[in-house]
Amino acid sequence: MKKYLKNCSIGILVILSYFLIPTYIKYVVAYLANGSLSEEISVILSIIIEILTLAVILLLFNKRIKENYVDLKKNHKKYFSKYFKFYLIGLAVMYISNAILIFGLNGGLAGNEESIRSILLVHPIYVYISAVLIAPSVEELVFRGAIKNIIPNSILYILCSGLIFGGMHLVGNVTSIIDLLYIIPYSSLGIAFAYIYSKTDNIFVTMMLHTMHNGILISIQIAVMLFG
């Protein structure tokens, strides 16, 4: 019980850091600047906030990060050869459900996807840094690491981690019932990553898969934007 309470406390602190640090800093900066920040400064500020948030979360998970790094050096071949297929299963479910929503139900692109693409057109470097270099690590530490600290039951953890991860991608982008259904493709990868983490107990495995996934998607979108 003592160990669980300690882990649970760390998990709660990580989640609070994820939500409160960006909100508080943006509020303070907006107040001091009186709403007069240029778009370029706002982008730089966003990157700094994301890096700071990641640094705080890494500090909270310091011991686990060190242990997982040592473990990854010994077992990386086993982990990726054994569990990469579950990422592919999650990816397949994501694409199939997306296709059904877009072409079968005329749902169009998910709101979150439309937002990313619109920002990508204006600030491609920022999107790449944020979505590929920072977000995968932060999201895995929060939605996989922190939630597992709070919910030790494997099945319940996998479901909650995946659904919360999927739900967070819908926040602010729900205008119809069909929009709610996009929780299925978003949660599919979240559930896959949660399953992989529950089996490996190594956050670097899902971090690397998540980074690879985002890197491929963003790179394709940038290539289409430049050459398509």
Side-chain angles (χ1 to χ4, degrees), residues 6-201:
K6 180 181 178 181
N7 288 338
C8 186
S9 298
I10 292 173
I12 292 172
L13 284 174
V14 167
I15 292 172
L16 289 175
S17 298
Y18 175 71
F19 287 105
L20 296 182
I21 290 176
T23 302
Y24 180 75
I25 295 178
K26 287 179 181 178
Y27 173 80
V28 171
V29 171
Y31 177 78
L32 294 175
N34 197 25
S36 61
L37 289 177
S38 67
E39 190 172 353
E40 289 75 15
I41 295 298
S42 295
V43 168
I44 294 172
L45 178 62
S46 294
I47 293 175
I48 292 172
I49 291 172
E50 290 173 16
I51 293 173
L52 178 61
T53 303
L54 175 59
V56 171
I57 294 173
L58 286 172
L59 185 62
L60 289 169
F61 272 138
N62 179 51
K63 183 179 179 182
R64 182 180 302 179
I65 292 296
K66 290 179 179 178
E67 292 173 348
N68 283 184
Y69 179 70
V70 172
D71 176 61
L72 184 73
K73 290 195 294 183
K74 295 179 181 177
N75 299 302
H76 62 279
K77 290 183 179 179
K78 179 184 73 174
Y79 288 153
F80 287 102
S81 63
K82 187 173 183 179
Y83 294 105
F84 186 76
K85 62 184 176 185
F86 294 102
Y87 159 71
L88 294 178
I89 292 170
L91 188 66
V93 173
M94 184 188 79
Y95 277 117
I96 292 170
S97 57
N98 254 329
I100 293 172
L101 289 169
I102 293 172
F103 301 109
L105 299 177
N106 297 316
L109 284 175
N112 182 70
E113 182 66 21
E114 288 183 346
S115 298
I116 292 174
R117 292 190 181 190
S118 63
I119 298 172
L120 186 64
L121 290 172
V122 183
H123 301 292
I125 296 176
Y126 163 67
V127 172
Y128 193 89
I129 292 173
S130 177
V132 180
L133 302 181
I134 302 174
S137 295
V138 173
E139 291 178 356
E140 289 309 308
L141 288 165
V142 174
F143 296 107
R144 251 57 73 188
I147 292 178
K148 192 170 189 294
N149 273 28
I150 299 169
I151 306 175
N153 180 274
S154 294
I155 295 176
L156 185 60
Y157 155 70
I158 291 169
L159 291 175
C160 287
S161 173
L163 291 173
I164 293 171
F165 177 74
M168 285 302 300
H169 286 78
L170 299 183
V171 173
N173 295 300
V174 177
T175 58
S176 67
I177 294 178
I178 291 180
D179 288 336
L180 286 174
L181 294 177
Y182 278 100
I183 196 172
I184 298 172
Y186 281 124
S187 294
S188 62
L189 273 185
I191 289 173
F193 288 148
Y195 175 79
I196 293 169
Y197 181 54
S198 71
K199 293 297 183 181
T200 62
D201 199 31

